[in-house]
Amino acid sequence: MEWWTSSRLDRVEPGRADESWIAALWTRPDGHLLRVDAEGDLAVAPGGDALEFVRPEGRFDTQRHLLLGLVDGEPYFVESSDLDLPAMSLKVVGTRLDDTMRDIATTAVALHNWHAAAPYCGVCGGYSEVRAGGHSRRCTRCGRERFPRTDPAMIVAVTDRADRLLLARPSVWVPRRMSLIAGFVEAGECLEQAVAREVSEEVGLHVRDVRYLSSQSWPFPRSLMVGFHAVADDPGFAVDGVEVEAAGWFSRAELDAAVTTGEVSLPGSLSIAYRIITAWRENRL
């Protein structure tokens, strides 16, 4: 299911090792600089319907100015700074952007979060310097090079033999909000094993025919959400009462009615959960 493939962002991986090339991109008149504040919120234009870019100015700083890539040949950078203009979370503004701008915003937040959380070497504790336009760090003590960490997580649309969809509410969520079963992949697991384990742990169901759907970068703080569909032959579930507080099976008509009356609130439109649920509602899984 090709949901995220229309972005025009070229991450220019081969050129990122050349700091002089990146510095030359910084001086170009068609350059774009996006600013992110300490909380990871993005600078937005008045009204909040678009990202706010400024032209890069001053001397290129390898430690502050991170290269996101090129869009139609034009360079895009991000820097972390105090903002004196409106800012919004990616979860909010991301719903208003096209795929390319959403890709830029997601990459900016992902890099910002990683650099803010991991300035020191995980081996010797030495301070590390930003390299490759922000896409790696190199320890100044032991020389070890590190790359942005991504934590894989699975999310799954579980259906039964009647093609009903299972929705669940995590214990930490507000009442009425429901979504798909999701969880992090544990050490040594493949993605399909994680799907089966999380479904069994959270709602006591055994699933078969685990099938990949799509994936989505989710930099809160650094996840990659991998979406699946799976089938449960026995619909009898039992919530664990710890991670999941409530769950239920829904036909399409039942979910439509529950959403209309406000009995059920679904995830925001930026999320892969929303897109998978929508695909099921439209018979496109």
Side-chain angles (χ1 to χ4, degrees), residues 260-276:
T260 299
T261 62
E263 178 185 350
V264 171
S265 172
L266 296 177
S269 60
L270 177 65
S271 68
I272 189 173
Y274 175 87
R275 296 200 176 198
I276 292 176

Side-chain angles (χ1 to χ4, degrees), residues 161-266:
R161 290 185 176 184
D163 201 25
R164 295 182 301 172
L165 179 68
L166 182 75
L167 294 180
R169 182 173 68 251
S171 303
V172 296
W173 281 14
V174 297
R176 296 186 296 279
R177 188 178 182 190
M178 304 188 80
S179 187
L180 306 176
I181 298 294
F184 285 103
V185 179
E186 294 188 351
E189 278 188 322
C190 68
L191 290 163
E192 292 83 356
Q193 289 172 330
V195 169
R197 176 184 54 77
E198 286 286 350
V199 174
S200 177
E201 288 177 354
E202 296 187 4
V203 291
L205 291 174
H206 297 284
V207 295
R208 60 173 171 83
D209 297 340
V210 177
R211 177 172 59 90
Y212 170 77
L213 295 177
S214 185
S215 64
Q216 178 189 18
S217 174
W218 194 249
F220 304 107
R222 53 183 178 229
S223 298
L224 173 67
M225 299 295 295
V226 185
F228 292 89
H229 174 233
V231 178
D233 289 320
D234 182 354
F237 65 83
V239 299
D240 66 359
V242 179
E243 292 191 54
V244 172
E245 184 177 71
W249 292 104
F250 292 86
S251 68
R252 291 173 179 82
E254 289 169 341
L255 184 56
D256 289 345
V259 170
T260 299
T261 62
E263 178 185 350
V264 171
S265 172
L266 296 177

